[in-house]
Each structure stands twice: as structure tokens, then as C-alpha cells.
Amino acid sequence: MSGLVDRRFKRNVLVNYGATAISVAAGFAHVTLVTRFGGVDVYGSFGILVAFSAMLTNLMTVRTNDAVVVFYKRGSATQDPGLCKMALLVGLCLDILIGGLLFGAFALCAPWIAQAVLKRPDLASDVALYGWILLATFLRGTPIGYLTARERFPLIYALNAGEPVVRIALIGLVVLSGAAVTLRDVITAVLLPTAAFSLIAYILVLVPLLGRLRPVPAAWGALRDYAKFSLSTFLSSTIRAAGGIDTVVLGYVTNPATVGLVNILRQFLAPFPFLAAPINGQAYPRFVQAVSEHKRAEITATIAQVNQKLRLVALPLIAVLAPGLVGYTLWVGVPLAATDYLAFALMALTAVVTSTMWWCRPLSHATNPNISLRADILSTVTLVVTVYPLALFFGVLGVALCQAAVLASIYFYWRRVLRGVVV
């Protein structure tokens, strides 16, 4: 078969689809329970915290998971265990250092977020509690990068599927108790499984460090290359820090309930990232290996092969989701206006096109991280320029228009990159 899609690739993708289906179903259950038993404002407030934490993470992270994949995989391909050890040690140290700084920064911002964005100063302690979720999630960077480089995808998928199931179970206990679901309940239900599964991932990466790699001297001579790669991904992430600004701005100019509505629309479109995410994860280490072995033509063959199948599934999926959205919003008591349906249609079209661009970041990191950096600059400038006026004058529809504008700004850029880089 042409490209990089072999039997193992297909098997792992199918397993990931199963795990991601569980996550998507759990996501719908989460939306339903929180919206029906806590209110759309509680769900919107949680969505704002997720968006703000994502912005803060992108602002400070060096994406150790990406660096570990590149350098650990490179060390494995060249039979250099010292390079593998260096990638893991540096990654773990950076995770701990930057994770602690992120936690402190979020705690300092908590009173402002509660007052200015959530418009509920009394929720400052709940916002601060969310900082622990941020810390626990951030510490996964190196462990997930290690598992990805080893292509232990079924284990990653099991962790990703198990976490939302536990989360729903905890929310369900609150509902069964007869109490209204509060923001603190939602945060606690997310924090406990996040911390537990992060601990499991950490133990998994310590096994090789304390075992087969323990007597191996780390290849500190490659630290300069690691630093250059990390600097590039840091700049890229910093520029992408505005990625969640549409949610935060919408909450600022409207209210958490409106943000909750937007997040419901996004939840219905979760199947589209679901289609592409398993392929993205599988392609990452294989793109790195293909470039190392000078087999770049296989990358283009893989992209064409995968996107052909994605298009066959994506468009009919919209016809299924649209009527489902109508019935669902009426059932949970959040009826939509005509402009909300228009926003959903535009967001769905954007999601379809975005799902076919799964290859962009893996290709950039396998060849030149600065390619992705330039794309991030372009998309961020477009987002920052358009988000406030569109959200202010058009509300939910404005967020959809903003997403479409960002996609248009980078789509043709990436197509040109693909023609120029893979020859």
C-alpha cells in the first residue's frame, strides 16, 4: 500500500476511534448533566475556564510532548539511547518547572476571572481550584510524548477514554444526591480523574528511566538542538495563546449562558475532530521517520489517501447532526434562534475543512517547526483583529464568522507549504 498507512496504522486508528467515541459520548453526557441539573450558565462558566486555561498554557508551554516525540523517535531510529534519555529527563524537568509557574499564574488571575469574565466574584475560590486541573494536565506532556514515540497508542487511548467516564460518574453522583450541580462540582469531577490518570502516565515514563536507560549516559550534546526545537514550539504556542480568546471575549461582552450555548454547538461538532485526531496521532511519529529516511513522497500519498476517506464520511455526518441538534437543544431547555442555526451551519463547514488539515502540524514538526510558527502568526493576527467586533455585534454567529475567517487565512498557506516542502 502506498504511503505510511499499514496494517498497524489502521489497527491503531480503529482502536482510537473506539476510545474517542467513548470520549465524545461522555462529552455529550457531561453537557447534558451539567446543563439540565446545573444550568447553561454553569456549563458556560466552566467553558470559559477551559478557554482561559488553554490560553495561559499556550502562552507558557514549550510543548515537551512534541519534543519528546521528535528526539526520542530520532534516538530510537539511530540506535542512540542517550538521546532518548536526554529527551525524557529534560522534558520532565520542564514539565515540573513550567507547570508550577502556570499553576501560580492561574491562581493569581482567579479573582479577576471570577469578577470580570464570569461576573461572579464569589466564584474566585472555584476558579483557583481549577488551577490544579491545569497543573495535573500539564505534567502529562513528557509521558504522553514518550508513549506516542513508542507508538503505544492503545494505552494512550485507554487513558483518554477512561478519564471522561470517571468524570461523568462523579457528576452522576451529585445528580443522584438531589443537589443542583455547581461549578465546584464540575471542577472537582474533572480534577480527580485528571490527577489520577496523570499519575499513571508519570509512572509509565519513569519505568524506562529507572530501568533500561538508567546506566546510559544522557546525550547532552544534543541539548542545543533540543533547545532550538523547544524555542520554536514555545514561540508557536505563545502566538497561539489567543486561540481561546473568542470564548473569553464572548463571555466578556455577553454572559456565561451565551458561552454555554456556543459550547453546546461545538460539542455537537466534536465528531469532526474525532475523525481526524486518531490519524494525526498516528502520523506524527511516522512523518518524523519518513523524513529521517528520505521518504517524503510517502507523506503526500498518505495525506491524499486519508483525506479521500475523511470527505466521504464528513459531509453525510452533517445531515445526521443537524436534526439531532434541534431535538437536543429543545430537550435540555436551550432553544436556538435562527442566527444560531446559521452559526452552526458555518461552524460545521469549518469543521469539515479543518478535519482534512490534520497533517499540518505533524508535517511541520517533522520538517521545520518554523512553518507552523508562521501559520500560527497568521491565524492569531486574523483572530485578534476579528474576534471582538464580530462577537460584539453578532454574538454566537460572530464566533462562527471569526472561526471561518481564521480558517480561510491559513488554508491556502498550508496547501502551498505542502507543495513546497514535500517533493
Side-chain angles (χ1 to χ4, degrees):
M1 178 176 292
S2 62
L4 306 173
V5 183
D6 56 16
R7 181 173 297 180
R8 185 181 182 189
F9 188 104
K10 291 181 178 180
R11 183 194 64 200
N12 287 337
V13 167
L14 290 175
V15 172
N16 196 352
Y17 276 143
T20 310
I22 295 173
S23 299
V24 171
F28 273 108
H30 183 260
V31 173
T32 303
L33 290 175
V34 175
T35 303
R36 291 204 69 182
F37 298 99
V40 69
D41 56 331
V42 172
Y43 181 62
S45 296
F46 181 75
I48 291 173
L49 293 182
V50 172
F52 192 87
S53 66
M55 291 173 57
L56 194 59
T57 299
N58 284 332
L59 186 65
M60 299 180 66
T61 185
V62 293
R63 294 217 299 266
T64 52
N65 59 320
D66 290 343
V68 169
V69 170
V70 171
F71 286 88
Y72 192 99
K73 192 70 176 179
R74 187 179 298 169
S76 298
T78 59
Q79 303 297 316
D80 185 357
L83 183 59
C84 298
K85 183 174 183 178
M86 184 278 296
L88 295 179
L89 287 176
V90 175
L92 289 173
C93 292
L94 288 174
D95 285 346
I96 294 172
L97 174 62
I98 301 177
L101 293 175
L102 277 170
F103 175 77
F106 197 87
L108 290 175
C109 294
W112 176 83
I113 297 173
Q115 182 172 355
V117 184
L118 300 185
K119 301 175 176 63
R120 289 281 304 276
D122 56 303
L123 295 178
S125 61
D126 294 350
V127 176
L129 180 64
Y130 187 90
W132 289 101
I133 298 177
L134 181 61
L135 176 61
T137 303
F138 192 85
L139 291 178
R140 293 182 185 182
T142 296
I144 295 301
Y146 164 72
L147 295 175
T148 301
R150 295 290 305 275
E151 299 193 33
R152 298 180 64 181
F153 294 105
L155 181 56
I156 297 175
Y157 305 153
L159 293 174
N160 290 341
E163 186 176 318
V165 171
V166 176
R167 181 191 312 164
I168 293 305
L170 294 176
I171 290 288
L173 291 177
V174 177
V175 173
L176 290 175
S177 71
V181 176
T182 65
L183 181 60
R184 179 169 286 266
D185 293 330
V186 177
I187 294 173
T188 303
V190 174
L191 173 59
L192 294 179
T194 299
F197 283 88
S198 293
L199 179 61
I200 293 173
Y202 229 80
I203 292 174
L204 291 173
V205 80
L206 288 177
V207 170
L209 277 177
L210 299 178
R212 61 183 177 82
L213 292 179
R214 185 175 181 179
V216 177
W220 298 116
L223 187 59
R224 184 174 181 179
D225 290 337
Y226 188 103
K228 288 181 179 179
F229 182 92
S230 297
L231 177 61
S232 179
T233 56
F234 169 75
L235 293 174
S236 177
S237 295
T238 300
I239 293 168
R240 292 173 61 206
I245 197 173
D246 53 347
T247 301
V248 176
V249 168
L250 184 65
Y252 180 78
V253 300
T254 57
N255 53 65
T258 304
V259 174
L261 175 58
V262 169
N263 284 343
I264 289 175
L265 299 182
R266 286 174 172 165
Q267 186 63 49
F268 256 81
L269 295 173
F272 291 102
F274 156 74
L275 289 176
I279 302 166
N280 181 296
Q282 289 289 311
Y284 198 162
R286 298 200 175 205
F287 278 16
V288 173
Q289 185 171 349
V291 171
S292 299
E293 297 175 353
H294 306 289
K295 298 179 179 178
R296 297 191 177 196
E298 293 190 1
I299 294 178
T300 53
T302 301
I303 293 171
Q305 183 180 0
V306 170
N307 280 353
Q308 182 181 20
K309 293 178 172 60
L310 283 177
R311 294 187 188 98
L312 291 176
V313 177
L315 293 177
L317 188 59
I318 296 178
V320 176
L321 294 176
L325 175 67
V326 177
Y328 179 83
T329 51
L330 292 175
W331 180 57
V332 297
V334 187
L336 302 181
T339 54
D340 297 330
Y341 288 114
L342 180 59
F344 177 76
L346 184 57
M347 291 168 69
L349 180 60
T350 302
V352 170
V353 177
T354 302
S355 69
T356 64
M357 299 176 66
W358 55 269
W359 50 269
C360 298
R361 200 161 298 279
L363 176 63
S364 172
H365 289 329
T367 54
N368 179 5
N370 289 327
I371 296 173
S372 180
L373 176 61
R374 289 189 287 269
D376 291 334
I377 293 173
L378 181 60
S379 62
T380 298
V381 169
T382 305
L383 177 63
V384 171
V385 169
T386 60
V387 61
Y388 185 81
L390 290 176
L392 180 64
F393 290 108
F394 299 103
V396 175
L397 180 59
V399 172
L401 290 169
C402 181
Q403 290 179 354
V406 171
L407 175 62
S409 71
I410 63 173
Y411 177 80
F412 295 104
Y413 167 82
W414 278 111
R415 299 306 303 184
R416 183 168 58 85
V417 165
L418 181 61
R419 289 193 299 269
V421 170
V422 183
V423 294

